[in-house]
């Protein structure tokens, strides 16, 4: 086959893929922008989501993500620190990696099932932000662990050796040299996890979500959330609810756009210096 | 030194947390689901009838449902995805490549409910109208949505595999007078095939595990689909839809956990296969 | 697995981190403080949690809204999940009130023997089709045959030549259980036919409203102009016919509590049973019990 035909085909595939994205984004933006207004973001849903806004859902998602990060970031970054700074490659590191990789592959509904059985019932936490947030934390933990590990490994050896040579202890070296230099990579992973945690429905639908717009007052309260609210609106789509559904989807998409774009920015900003 | 030792121990526990969670998940899944599997035996996997009211649990319908949409989705996404990967790795000008990268990342980042919404409103309607079927909630609709969702995985991992082909191979092929396409066909793709296969396995895992988009678009019919234009139900959907009802500890509850076990095992097998094929290039 | 690889590819471009990013640390700290503020904030409010039937949910929601206006120190939360969920949760103690659109089953009574149900409203189950569907009336037998898969085309009922798309609720729905009991005579429903499951009344209604071939059943209170309700045995579903007992598919809506209602739960249920509460019930489209 002639090269130019192949080229055309490959160009076409790529353009088709790009078109798909543009179509989906455009669809949501176009339909959703009519719903988007300041009231929409500040008001609570009324009449079962046909009118009013989505503030409780936004707040709920915010809290859920915070809890998820509070749990997952120390575990993930700490774990990565251990892998890079404290342990040589051996059976323990293999176990750690295996756990993280396996956890990464688990479907979101299994997380939901597990969160329900373990957090809601076994630990008797009930349906609340804590249950939902911790379930989400388990979901994003592998990502944070892997990203942090990569970022930590990228710190050049001679920087650390220099620090030791000056008499610093391991902890001091970590605090002053390793962490600051790898922070951008770690942040990238965290930012991407935010996007993922905010958008997942299955893990929180049994562990944190309620239907009526009551604002949570503590981590032991349940809450609305953007993805579960969107699911409700979509499956019950009357024309009025559909408009709000688009609005909710738009808010989620904007969130994804922000997190994806910021992650890319972080990466670019710190690629200036390339050391071999 | 003492603080260092304490910190080290703490960090070790943190590092093992993921593994610990996996064990907990396995324990809870199997604690609840295994009794039913033992009781029904092979009938659970091969039985077609799922009737919690009469306590008959056969998950074959859902297994077929999940597998059929996954395979069809791969059929759509793999050619498209590998083509894009080839494009990015081999013939894209620098500008196009940097323009396209955000496209993949965005596609990957869109939440599954949004895909479900789009699928229900656009694709389901489209299929109902174009094919004149009673309902557009079909295997075809679900596969299309899943295909879009797994495209980013296939593209990025395949691209990585293709880019890892040593330049020497390419240059050698050109030196022998081969065209670009011949080089792609005979040298690059075969060399990258393990990576591409790995991307397919990863994509499979993602598709089988997808819940929200599937439950909105597949129709949730407890019947094995006879054609692409029939509705069906997936393993993930049955868990989502029926989990709320089952009394904790009752047989229905256990059966749903058993479905979870099946899902878990399928995904684990795929995961292990992909790891063996060597996704990690380090 | 995808994220691992995506990150891997991303980070190939990030060979090095450079400056200290104090800003990030400050940002995270602010979030933490916010979080702690959230945890410690909040006056001592009484919470009441309801869960269960999506049929009862609109009643519960609206009543909760009014109730919370009258009692600012009370907080009422409502979850869905279906009648089965509601009964399970109140039985397990994870909810204060379980909403159910059916009576408790024997199996559930064995598991949770101390549950007490209070009837808060009556409801009919309306069978609905798309507004453009020409069929006006069905006998109970025809309805049963449709859901058992024996009648598959609208033309067999005097309508257009279209395949019937049958919509039902997922397992655990009280509406579904009542339908099976009253219409299917506990017989087999959807194992033999191709029947789409939807998670709530609203979802069934939306599906029927959007599909000319579809038929479904929803709580009477959900019927609006987007769907057309069918006469069953020549009886139109309405408050009058449900109350009068002539409409064949009617039921009571329950709120279950552990033991007789007490405390905040009692207050809430009493409010629903009061004339003001029952006005709300009627307003939403259900049938009052007085």
């Amino acid at each position: 086959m002639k090269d130019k035909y192949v080229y055309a085909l490959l160009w076409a595939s790529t353009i088709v893929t790009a078109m798909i994205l543009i179509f989906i984004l455009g669809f949501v933006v176009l339909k959703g922008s009519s719903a988007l207004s300041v009231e929409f973001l500040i008001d609570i849903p009324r009449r079962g989501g046909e009118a009013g806004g989505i503030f409780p859902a936004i707040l709920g998602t915010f809290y859920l993500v915070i809890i998820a990060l509070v749990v997952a970031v120390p575990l993930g970054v700490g774990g990565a620190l251990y892998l890079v700074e404290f342990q040589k490659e051996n059976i323990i590191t293999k176990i750690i990696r295996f756990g993280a990789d396996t956890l990464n592959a688990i479907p979101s509904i299994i997380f939901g099932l597990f969160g329900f059985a373990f957090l809601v019932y076994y630990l008797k936490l009930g349906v609340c932000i804590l249950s939902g947030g911790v379930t989400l934390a388990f979901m994003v933990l592998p990502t944070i662990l892997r990203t942090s590990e990569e970022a930590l490994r990228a710190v050049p050896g001679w920087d650390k050796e220099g620090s030791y040579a000056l008499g610093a202890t391991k902890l001091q070296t970590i605090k002053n040299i390793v962490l600051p230099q790898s922070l951008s990579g770690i942040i990238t992973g965290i930012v991407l996890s935010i996007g993922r945690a905010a958008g997942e429905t299955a893990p929180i639908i049994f562990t944190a979500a309620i239907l009526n717009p009551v604002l949570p007052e503590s981590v032991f309260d349940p809450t609305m959330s953007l993805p579960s609210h969107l699911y409700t609106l979509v499956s019950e789509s009357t024309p009025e609810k559909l408009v709000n559904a688009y609005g909710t989807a738009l808010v989620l998409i904007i969130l994804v756009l922000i997190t994806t774009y910021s992650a890319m920015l972080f990466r670019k900003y710190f690629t200036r210096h390339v050391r071999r | 030194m003492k603080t260092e030792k304490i910190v080290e121990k703490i960090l070790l526990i943190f590092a093992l947390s993921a593994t610990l969670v996996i064990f907990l998940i396995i324990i809870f899944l199997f604690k609840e689901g295994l009794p039913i599997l033992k009781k029904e035996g092979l009938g659970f996997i091969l039985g077609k009838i799922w009737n919690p009211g009469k306590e008959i649990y056969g998950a074959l319908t859902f297994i077929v449902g999940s597998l059929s949409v996954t395979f069809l989705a791969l059929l759509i996404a793999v050619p498209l995805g590998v083509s894009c990967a080839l494009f990015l790795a081999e013939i894209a000008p620098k500008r196009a490549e940097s323009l396209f990268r955000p496209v993949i990342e965005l596609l990957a980042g869109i939440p599954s409910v949004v895909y479900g919404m789009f699928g229900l409103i656009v694709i389901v309607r489209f299929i109902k109208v174009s094919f004149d079927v009673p309902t557009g909630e079909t295997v075809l609709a679900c596969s299309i949505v899943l295909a879009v969702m797994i495209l980013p995985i296939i593209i990025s991992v395949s691209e990585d595999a293709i880019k890892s082909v040593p330049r020497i191979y390419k240059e050698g092929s050109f030196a022998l007078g081969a065209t670009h396409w011949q080089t792609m066909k005979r040298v690059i793709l075969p060399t990258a095939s393990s990576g591409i296969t790995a991307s397919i396995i990863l994509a499979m895992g993602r598709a089988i595990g997808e819940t929200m988009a599937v439950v909105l678009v597949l129709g949730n019919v407890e019947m094995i689909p006879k054609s692409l234009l029939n509705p069906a139900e997936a393993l993930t959907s049955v868990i989502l839809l029926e989990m709320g009802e089952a009394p904790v500890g009752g047989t229905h509850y256990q059966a749903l956990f058993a479905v979870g076990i099946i899902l878990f095992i399928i995904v684990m097998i795929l995961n292990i296969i992909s790891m063996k094929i060597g996704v990690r290039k380090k | 697995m995808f994220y691992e690889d995506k990150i891997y590819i991303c980070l190939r471009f990030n060979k090095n981190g450079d400056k200290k990013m104090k800003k990030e640390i400050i940002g995270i700290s602010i979030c933490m403080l916010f979080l702690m503020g959230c945890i410690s904030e909040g006056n001592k409010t009484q919470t009441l949690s309801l869960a269960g039937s999506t049929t009862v949910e609109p009643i519960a929601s609206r009543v909760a809204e009014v109730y919370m206006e009258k009692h600012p120190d009370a907080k009422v939360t409502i979850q869905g999940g279906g009648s089965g969920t509601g009964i399970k949760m109140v039985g397990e103690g994870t909810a204060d009130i379980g909403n159910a659109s059916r009576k408790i089953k024997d199996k559930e009574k064995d598991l949770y023997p101390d549950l007490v149900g209070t009837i808060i409203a009556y409801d009919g189950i309306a069978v609905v089709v798309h507004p453009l569907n020409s069929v006006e009336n069905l006998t109970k037998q025809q309805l049963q045959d449709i859901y058992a898969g024996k009648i598959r085309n609208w033309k067999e009922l005097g309508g257009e030549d279209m395949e019937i798309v049958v919509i039902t609720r997922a397992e655990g729905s009280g509406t579904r259980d009542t339908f099976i009991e009253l219409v299917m005579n506990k017989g087999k429903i959807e194992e033999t036919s191709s029947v789409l499951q939807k998670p709530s009344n609203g979802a069934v209604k939306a599906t029927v409203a959007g599909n000319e071939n579809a038929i479904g059943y929803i709580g009477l209170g959900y019927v609006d102009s987007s769907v057309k309700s069918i006469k069953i045995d020549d009886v139109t579903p309405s408050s009058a016919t449900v109350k009068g007992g002539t409409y064949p598919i009617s039921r009571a809506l329950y709120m279950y509590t552990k033991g007789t209602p007490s405390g905040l739960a009692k207050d809430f249920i009493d409010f629903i049973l009061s004339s003001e509460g029952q006005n709300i019930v009627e307003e939403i489209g259900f049938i009052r019990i007085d």
Side-chain angles (χ1 to χ4, degrees):
Chain A
M1 219 189 342
K2 281 236 178 111
D3 268 3
K4 64 177 178 182
Y5 296 136
V6 174
Y7 285 0
L9 204 63
L10 296 185
W11 268 101
S13 314
T14 316
I15 294 182
V16 163
T17 310
M19 287 286 108
I20 294 178
L21 175 75
I22 296 177
F23 189 41
I24 297 180
L25 281 187
F27 186 75
V28 174
V29 167
L30 262 156
K31 299 259 188 179
S33 45
S34 56
L36 222 50
S37 63
V38 183
E39 293 94 56
F40 188 66
L41 297 174
I42 299 191
D43 197 8
I44 64 170
R46 299 179 194 283
R47 289 197 284 131
E50 288 185 0
I54 54 171
F55 180 66
I58 298 179
L59 194 65
T61 297
F62 177 69
Y63 287 153
L64 284 169
V65 170
I66 298 252
I67 296 280
L69 291 181
V70 163
V71 173
V73 168
L75 290 179
V77 177
L81 258 178
Y82 183 81
L83 280 177
V84 175
E85 295 295 323
F86 287 94
Q87 190 61 269
K88 299 206 218 324
E89 283 297 316
N90 62 7
I91 186 77
I92 296 188
T93 57
K94 283 208 175 45
I95 296 179
I96 295 173
R97 263 187 241 287
F98 173 75
D101 284 341
T102 316
L103 199 59
N104 206 11
I106 293 196
S108 52
I109 184 83
I110 304 269
F111 278 111
L113 212 55
F114 172 67
F116 185 65
F118 182 57
L119 295 162
V120 174
Y121 271 100
Y122 188 73
L123 293 183
K124 299 217 182 297
L125 288 174
V127 174
C128 64
I129 297 180
L130 195 57
S131 300
V134 173
T135 311
L136 285 175
F138 293 155
M139 229 181 57
V140 298
L141 178 58
T143 310
I144 298 189
L145 186 71
R146 280 293 265 151
T147 353
S148 306
E149 190 195 344
E150 302 280 359
L152 290 169
R153 279 203 198 283
V155 177
W158 56 75
D159 276 8
K160 292 190 267 185
E161 283 161 25
S163 169
Y164 292 134
L166 290 171
T169 66
K170 195 160 199 153
L171 294 184
Q172 284 173 333
T173 310
I174 291 180
K175 189 176 98 160
N176 297 318
I177 305 287
V178 178
L179 278 182
Q181 286 197 13
S182 54
L183 213 43
S184 65
I186 297 179
I187 299 288
T188 308
I190 295 180
V191 167
L192 284 164
S193 301
I194 292 179
R196 190 166 171 214
E200 283 288 343
T201 323
I204 52 166
I205 210 169
F206 300 126
T207 56
I210 51 170
L211 296 175
N212 68 330
V214 174
L215 297 180
E217 274 162 31
S218 82
V219 287
F220 295 106
D221 285 341
T223 179
M224 291 186 106
S225 78
L226 285 171
S228 61
H229 190 57
L230 183 56
Y231 174 60
T232 314
L233 289 178
V234 170
S235 51
E236 306 191 1
S237 52
T238 64
E240 301 90 357
K241 285 192 194 173
L242 213 48
V243 171
N244 288 335
Y246 289 125
T248 315
L250 186 54
V251 171
L252 269 176
I253 295 255
I254 292 178
L255 181 65
V256 169
L257 282 170
I258 294 179
T259 51
T260 311
Y261 193 55
S262 330
M264 290 201 306
L265 276 183
F266 277 119
R267 240 182 299 126
K268 267 212 186 111
Y269 181 58
F270 292 101
T271 315
R272 286 181 310 166
H273 303 269
V274 173
R275 296 194 198 167
R276 299 241 167 255
Chain B
M1 282 305 117
K2 231 172 124 196
T3 16
E4 191 181 305
K5 283 290 173 204
I6 299 177
V7 169
E8 184 181 337
K9 291 295 170 240
I10 296 178
L11 291 186
L12 171 60
I13 297 178
F14 281 9
L16 287 172
S17 58
T19 322
L20 181 65
V21 171
I22 286 281
F23 273 121
L24 281 176
I25 293 181
I26 294 180
I27 292 176
F28 270 83
L29 273 185
F30 281 79
K31 182 173 85 133
E32 297 293 340
L34 211 52
I36 274 266
L37 282 179
K38 275 204 210 137
K39 196 173 80 161
E40 301 266 349
L42 220 54
F44 192 80
I45 305 180
L46 297 177
K48 270 199 260 183
I49 299 185
W50 177 269
N51 192 336
K54 298 207 171 66
E55 307 224 350
I56 304 175
Y57 298 107
L60 184 65
T61 318
F62 314 122
I63 296 178
V64 173
S66 288
L67 288 179
S68 49
V69 291
T70 303
F71 280 127
L72 189 56
L74 284 174
L75 221 58
I76 301 173
V78 170
L80 192 56
V82 174
S83 304
C84 287
L86 266 177
F87 173 81
L88 286 174
E90 292 291 310
I91 58 177
K94 271 280 173 264
R95 248 183 44 226
E97 191 178 343
S98 56
L99 248 158
F100 195 68
R101 206 158 293 287
V103 168
I104 307 179
E105 304 213 5
L106 281 175
L107 274 178
I110 295 181
S112 43
V113 251
V114 176
Y115 276 116
M117 174 181 88
F118 188 77
L120 186 60
I121 296 173
V122 174
I123 301 190
V124 165
R125 190 90 210 139
F126 173 72
I127 290 185
K128 180 177 191 342
V129 167
S130 340
F131 292 93
D132 196 26
V133 275
T135 174
E137 293 175 46
T138 54
V139 171
L140 183 58
C142 190
S143 306
I144 295 177
V145 175
L146 281 179
V148 176
M149 292 175 81
I150 61 178
L151 259 181
I153 307 179
I154 297 184
I155 296 179
S156 52
V157 178
S158 298
E159 186 202 348
D160 199 39
I162 293 173
K163 278 200 169 147
S164 305
V165 173
R167 291 190 62 188
I168 310 175
Y169 291 22
K170 266 174 58 178
E171 283 162 17
S173 173
F174 286 138
L176 290 171
T179 66
H180 201 173
W181 166 237
Q182 285 173 329
T183 309
M184 284 192 233
K185 194 168 74 164
R186 306 251 175 95
V187 177
I188 298 181
L189 284 180
T191 318
S193 63
S194 64
I196 297 179
T197 314
S199 80
I200 296 179
I201 306 280
L202 287 171
M204 262 185 86
R206 174 94 159 87
I208 290 210
E210 176 49 49
T211 316
M212 302 316 295
V214 170
V215 80
L216 285 169
V217 168
L218 193 51
N220 308 318
V221 165
E222 288 174 11
M223 244 184 57
I224 297 182
K226 297 203 187 79
S227 88
L228 293 179
L229 294 173
N230 283 145
E233 190 168 353
L235 291 163
T236 49
S237 310
V238 70
I239 299 179
L240 182 73
L241 288 173
E242 301 188 12
M243 193 52 211
E245 190 260 335
V248 178
T251 37
H252 193 185
Y253 187 75
Q254 293 178 329
L256 290 174
F257 272 82
V259 174
I261 293 179
I262 295 182
L263 201 54
F264 181 78
I265 292 180
I266 295 180
V267 171
M268 281 309 109
I269 293 178
L270 290 174
N271 196 33
I272 294 177
I273 296 178
S274 79
M275 288 208 290
K276 282 277 185 303
I277 298 185
V279 175
R280 261 175 287 159
K281 293 290 187 279
K282 287 234 169 104
Chain C
M1 255 317 196
F2 167 71
Y3 282 90
E4 167 191 282
D5 307 290
K6 186 172 81 166
I7 303 303
Y8 166 70
I9 295 166
C10 293
L11 280 169
R12 283 196 309 154
F13 296 106
N14 173 27
K15 297 273 171 52
N16 217 340
D18 251 337
K19 317 282 177 192
K20 281 190 186 182
M21 291 297 266
K22 277 219 169 105
K23 303 180 211 158
E24 271 68 27
I25 305 185
I26 296 179
I28 298 180
S29 318
I30 294 182
C31 289
M32 298 264 198
L33 290 169
F34 200 137
L35 175 71
M36 299 204 222
C38 300
I39 300 180
S40 54
E41 178 215 306
N43 321 311
K44 216 50 191 108
T45 50
Q46 298 189 294
T47 48
L48 182 69
S49 58
L50 290 87
S53 162
T54 62
T55 306
V56 177
E57 197 249 319
I59 301 179
S61 271
R62 185 87 189 98
V63 169
E65 221 177 299
V66 176
Y67 187 83
M68 286 193 279
E69 273 166 37
K70 289 178 176 256
H71 304 85
D73 60 329
K75 191 164 86 167
V76 182
T77 63
I78 304 173
Q79 291 169 264
S83 304
T85 307
I87 293 179
K88 172 176 79 168
M89 290 185 75
V90 72
E92 299 280 331
T94 41
D96 299 312
I97 296 180
N99 300 329
S101 58
R102 58 161 170 82
K103 228 173 20 183
I104 188 172
K105 294 187 197 163
D106 292 325
K107 257 193 295 182
E108 290 162 336
K109 262 202 233 164
D110 294 333
L111 273 169
Y112 315 115
D114 50 354
L115 288 188
V116 169
T118 315
I119 298 181
I120 54 141
Y122 289 109
D123 183 31
I125 298 183
V127 177
V128 290
V129 296
H130 193 269
L132 293 178
N133 195 320
S134 55
V135 174
E136 298 277 341
N137 177 52
L138 291 172
T139 65
K140 207 159 119 180
Q141 185 59 46
Q142 285 174 321
L143 187 56
Q144 187 185 107
D145 289 338
I146 293 175
Y147 271 83
K150 299 206 185 102
I151 298 181
R152 290 185 179 256
N153 196 307
W154 283 110
K155 69 172 184 238
E156 300 174 53
L157 300 161
E160 282 85 43
D161 183 9
M162 292 188 297
E163 197 178 318
I164 304 183
V165 174
V166 185
I167 316 288
T168 183
R169 295 283 301 281
E171 292 274 348
S173 153
T175 312
R176 171 186 167 125
D177 290 335
T178 312
F179 187 81
I180 292 183
E181 194 182 317
L182 295 175
V183 173
M184 307 303 293
N185 292 327
K186 303 195 197 192
K188 282 202 273 197
I189 197 171
E190 313 113 10
E191 285 158 27
T192 50
S193 59
S194 182
V195 175
L196 303 180
Q197 295 183 68
K198 296 289 160 185
S200 63
N201 278 300
V204 172
K205 182 174 79 165
T207 313
V208 171
N211 190 331
E212 300 87 39
N213 307 49
I215 183 172
Y217 53 84
I218 56 179
L220 191 54
Y222 276 84
V223 176
D224 62 16
S225 54
S226 65
V227 292
K228 181 170 94 168
S229 65
I230 297 269
K231 291 194 269 196
I232 306 291
D233 290 336
D234 288 315
V235 178
T236 312
S238 72
S239 310
T241 54
V242 170
K243 234 168 160 186
T246 47
Y247 185 68
I249 322 177
S250 330
R251 64 213 175 135
L253 300 178
Y254 294 83
M255 285 198 174
Y256 279 94
T257 46
K258 231 173 163 57
T260 44
S262 63
L264 192 54
K266 178 174 189 334
D267 210 39
F268 189 74
I269 294 182
D270 284 344
F271 179 66
I272 302 184
L273 295 176
S274 73
S275 57
E276 190 179 348
Q278 289 294 301
N279 286 342
I280 299 179
V281 166
E282 209 172 31
E283 200 182 297
I284 303 187
F286 293 90
I287 294 120
R288 53 198 308 150
I289 55 179
D290 48 15

